[in-house]
């Protein structure tokens, strides 16, 4: 075989792999990028404003953490063809099933409220009233979901994922010092020592990287897309690329606020956007657009995670490939979850701070259980066969899960009792 | 009333369908579930304590 034939053969082989990846890509990318939701953007903006570039190394550590947890849902979904809620019901019985399902409903609904808070705050910067934002979002999301095809929904969601990359040009526009980023951000350090404030922010970053709805969403998404065991390799690659993108976006947000707002007190991303507008109008506008998009993407995935889980357990048709007539309860539950959460930020004097606090605390009750069930299910050789966890995978995933449980518990407890660790 | 009855009969049906866990109850699974129960119990106690102290302040 001559050189050009070999080159052509290699090119065809690579092109075939790329086409296969593009066909399978979706659940991993969407879930990982949606992980940078409104709450996540606030956390990263606050991290950059408070500690500059100093915690970039810590964010990089979250790539394997997010990947190892989420790739397990790909294997579980592709092998069992069941969502996470159904898998828990079937494997651990009704008690643990109801506990997970009810907890998931509460966490998802509360998180949805925070997404709407983020979206209304973001568009209020451009003079859009909150009620109009809520109506537009509910309409837009209904149109996206009601098209009757998973494929179309996924491609639209991937379009919103692309918009999440808006923080990358924003970071270049603030002209950060590459030497400072490398010097301060890539060498592990704890600025000012490990005090209560730093510890809380580190835990918040972990909490926003691994959320309970992500496990339920990705597994149901893998099932709805119809991924098979042969697709697991590409599904894992999809998740890995997604975890790199999500952390990269987080780092670019840290660079933006670390460069322009270093030392400024940031309580939420909308405040950061307003402050950025005073320094650089376009960067501030990018921050606001990114915040709205993050809230929208989060809301799309979270509301679907709930509807899928409900459908799995109640035996309703629960696929995006079905029309409203074929799966009325699936779409009704989606719409009710969305609309009721959207109304809350419009109520004058609604306890939004309390809701944010509740999200953190209730998530702490669900996340450890969901993660423990995930590992136990991945060790069920009878069901998983060759796709069960290997001893090495068990060591890595168990270490990550135990660390997440300890840190998220401390995060939840410190949210309940803010003075406990001072 | 009929809707409520249908709903509760559905719940009963689900409970019956998933009454027996299918996962092999090995020692590791049993220990994990027991630890999870204790963990969640402690968390609920903490939340109730917080709720009572908040109510007292109000």
């Amino acid at each position: 075989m001559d050189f050009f034939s070999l080159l052509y053969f290699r090119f065809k082989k690579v092109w075939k792999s790329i086409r296969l990846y593009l066909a399978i890509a979706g659940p991993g990318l969407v879930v990982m990028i949606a992980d940078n939701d409104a709450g996540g953007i606030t956390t990263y903006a606050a991290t950059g404003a408070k500690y500059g570039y100093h915690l970039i190394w810590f964010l990089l550590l979250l790539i394997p953490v997010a990947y190892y947890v989420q790739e397990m849902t790909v294997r579980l979904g592709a092998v069992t063809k069941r969502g996470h809620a159904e898998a828990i019901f079937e494997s651990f019985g009704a008690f643990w099933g109801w506990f997970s399902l009810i907890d998931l409903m509460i966490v998802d609904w509360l998180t949805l409220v925070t997404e709407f808070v983020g979206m209304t705050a973001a568009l209020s910067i451009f003079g859009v009233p909150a009620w109009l934002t809520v109506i537009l979002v509910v309409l837009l999301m209904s149109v996206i979901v009601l098209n009757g095809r998973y494929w179309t929904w996924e491609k639209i969601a991937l379009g919103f994922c692309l918009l999440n990359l808006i923080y990358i040009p924003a970071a270049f526009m603030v002209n950060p010092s590459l030497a400072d980023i490398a010097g301060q951000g890539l060498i592990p350090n704890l600025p000012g020592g490990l005090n209560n404030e730093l510890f809380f922010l580190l835990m918040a970053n972990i909490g926003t990287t691994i959320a309970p709805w992500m496990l339920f969403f990705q597994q149901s998404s893998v099932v709805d897309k119809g991924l098979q065991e042969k697709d697991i390799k590409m599904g894992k690659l999809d998740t890995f690329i997604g975890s790199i993108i999500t952390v990269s976006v987080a780092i670019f947000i840290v660079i933006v606020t670390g460069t322009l707002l270093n030392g400024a007190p940031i309580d939420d991303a909308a405040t950061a956007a307003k402050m950025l507008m005073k320094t650089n109008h376009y960067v501030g506008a990018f921050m606001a657009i990114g915040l709205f998009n993050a809230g929208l993407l989060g809301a799309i995935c979270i509301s679907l995670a709930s509807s899928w889980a409900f459908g799995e357990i109640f035996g309703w048709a629960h696929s995006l490939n079905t029309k409203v007539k074929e799966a009325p309860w699936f779409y009704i539950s989606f719409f009710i979850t969305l609309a009721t959460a959207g109304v809350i930020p419009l109520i004058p004097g609604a306890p939004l701070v309390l809701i944010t606090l509740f999200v953190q605390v209730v998530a702490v009750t669900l996340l450890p259980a969901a993660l423990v069930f995930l590992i136990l299910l991945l060790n069920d050789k009878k069901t998983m066969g060759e796709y069960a966890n290997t001893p090495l995978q068990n060591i890595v995933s168990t270490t990550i899960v135990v660390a997440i449980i300890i840190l998220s518990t401390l995060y939840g407890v410190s949210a309940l009792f803010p003075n406990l660790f001072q | 009333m009929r809707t409520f009855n249908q709903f509760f009969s559905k719940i009963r049906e689900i409970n019956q369908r998933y009454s027996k866990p299918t996962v092999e109850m090995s020692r590791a699974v049993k220990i994990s579930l027991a630890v999870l129960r204790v963990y969640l119990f402690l968390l609920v106690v903490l939340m109730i304590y917080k709720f009572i102290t908040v109510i007292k302040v109000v």
Side-chain angles (χ1 to χ4, degrees):
Chain A
M1 199 180 284
D2 63 25
F3 175 74
F4 287 106
S5 303
L6 192 69
L7 199 65
Y8 177 71
F9 177 72
R10 285 269 163 86
F11 171 77
K12 272 197 83 170
K13 205 174 164 192
V14 170
W15 180 236
K16 195 180 164 193
S17 300
I18 291 172
R19 277 175 47 191
L20 183 65
Y21 170 72
L22 290 176
I24 288 164
L29 281 177
V30 173
V31 76
M32 284 297 183
I33 297 174
D35 180 35
N36 284 341
D37 62 352
I41 303 295
T42 293
T43 305
Y44 305 135
T47 303
K50 180 74 189 170
Y51 294 107
Y53 310 139
H54 287 279
L55 295 180
I56 287 175
W57 64 272
F58 183 76
L59 290 172
L60 287 170
L61 289 181
L62 297 178
I63 294 176
V65 171
Y67 168 72
Y68 274 107
V69 171
Q70 289 300 132
E71 73 85 17
M72 287 194 278
T73 66
V74 178
R75 279 187 282 150
L76 199 54
V79 173
T80 63
K81 315 283 184 292
R82 292 187 312 229
H84 201 51
E86 195 180 352
I88 293 172
F89 261 94
E90 196 160 307
S91 299
F92 301 101
F95 170 78
W96 287 113
W98 284 119
F99 164 78
S100 302
L101 187 67
I102 294 167
D103 224 356
L104 178 75
M105 293 305 125
I106 298 170
V107 179
D108 279 3
W109 190 82
L110 291 170
T111 314
L112 257 182
V113 174
T114 65
E115 306 299 353
F116 273 103
V117 170
M119 285 187 280
T120 51
L123 288 196
S124 72
I125 293 171
F126 302 108
V128 181
W131 62 267
L132 187 58
T133 304
V134 171
I135 290 173
L136 287 175
V137 166
V138 173
L139 281 176
L140 178 66
M141 284 177 58
S142 301
V143 170
I144 296 170
V145 166
L146 289 174
N147 73 76
R149 282 189 72 195
Y150 175 90
W151 191 91
T152 313
W153 171 85
E154 189 183 84
K155 297 305 168 248
I156 296 171
L158 283 171
F160 287 117
C161 289
L162 265 181
L163 196 57
N164 201 260
L165 305 180
I166 198 167
Y167 296 105
I168 298 174
F172 281 102
M173 284 160 75
V174 300
N175 295 318
S177 158
L178 285 180
D180 285 351
I181 292 172
Q184 297 169 11
L186 299 182
I187 299 160
N189 67 101
L190 296 171
L194 188 59
N195 54 37
N196 185 50
E197 207 171 7
L198 175 62
F199 190 54
F200 192 81
L201 210 53
L202 291 178
M203 288 188 290
N205 276 286
I206 295 172
T208 194
T209 307
I210 299 294
W213 65 264
M214 293 169 67
L215 307 175
F216 290 82
F217 174 86
Q218 191 170 5
Q219 196 171 327
S220 296
S221 181
V222 162
V223 175
D224 205 355
K225 186 161 183 168
L227 294 193
Q228 306 292 317
E229 290 171 22
K230 64 180 170 54
D231 303 321
I232 286 176
K233 202 174 162 190
M234 283 296 173
K236 286 167 77 170
L237 177 67
D238 184 42
T239 309
F240 184 63
I241 292 173
S243 60
I244 290 174
I245 294 175
T246 191
V247 170
S248 303
V249 169
I251 289 171
F252 280 108
I253 297 169
V254 166
I255 290 173
V256 170
T257 56
T259 307
L260 293 185
L261 302 177
N262 203 346
I266 298 292
D267 289 330
D268 59 88
T271 311
K274 282 179 200 161
M275 290 167 83
L276 285 168
M277 271 183 162
K278 290 176 190 162
T279 323
N280 186 321
H281 183 79
Y282 291 108
V283 173
F286 279 17
M287 179 63 108
I289 294 167
L291 175 62
F292 172 78
N293 179 61
L296 185 69
L297 201 53
I300 290 173
C301 297
I302 292 164
S303 46
L304 266 180
S306 297
S307 300
W308 267 324
F310 254 128
E312 287 160 16
I313 303 311
F314 281 84
W316 307 329
H318 55 277
S319 169
L320 285 170
N321 287 316
T322 52
K323 300 280 181 201
V324 181
K325 273 185 184 174
E326 298 161 335
W329 287 107
F330 173 64
Y331 291 106
I332 287 171
S333 67
F334 170 82
F335 187 76
I336 290 175
T337 312
L338 196 63
T340 51
V343 165
I344 302 298
L346 303 180
I347 300 171
L352 299 178
V353 176
L354 197 68
I355 287 173
T356 311
L357 181 89
F358 242 80
V359 172
Q360 295 159 0
V361 176
V362 181
V364 164
T365 62
L366 179 57
L367 188 61
L371 288 172
V372 167
F373 291 143
L374 191 63
I375 290 189
L376 293 179
L377 288 166
L378 263 295
N379 277 287
D380 186 6
K381 289 197 169 58
K382 199 170 69 185
T383 312
M384 293 302 295
E386 61 176 301
Y387 297 101
N389 268 2
T390 60
L392 183 65
Q393 280 173 324
N394 269 335
I395 291 169
V396 174
S397 55
T398 307
T399 307
I400 289 172
V401 164
V402 169
I404 291 173
I405 291 174
I406 292 170
L407 291 172
S408 66
T409 305
L410 289 172
Y411 182 49
V413 172
S414 62
L416 274 176
F417 307 98
N419 301 322
L420 195 66
F421 299 110
Q422 277 177 359
Chain B
M1 194 65 190
R2 199 173 154 224
T3 317
F4 274 109
N5 282 339
Q6 279 178 336
F7 178 73
F8 285 116
S9 80
K10 187 78 193 172
I11 302 280
R12 274 195 296 274
E13 183 202 315
I14 293 168
N15 285 341
Q16 208 163 20
R17 198 190 323 152
Y18 298 114
S19 57
K20 283 196 179 126
T22 57
V23 76
E24 193 191 330
M25 282 291 164
S26 63
R27 209 168 153 196
V29 174
K30 279 180 186 165
I31 290 170
S32 303
L33 294 181
V35 170
L36 208 55
R37 274 199 171 94
V38 174
Y39 169 85
L40 290 170
F41 177 75
L42 290 175
L43 220 54
V44 170
V45 169
L46 270 180
M47 278 196 263
I48 293 170
Y49 172 75
K50 175 72 181 180
F51 182 71
I52 292 169
T53 50
V54 168
I55 292 285
K56 271 184 182 171
V57 171
V58 174

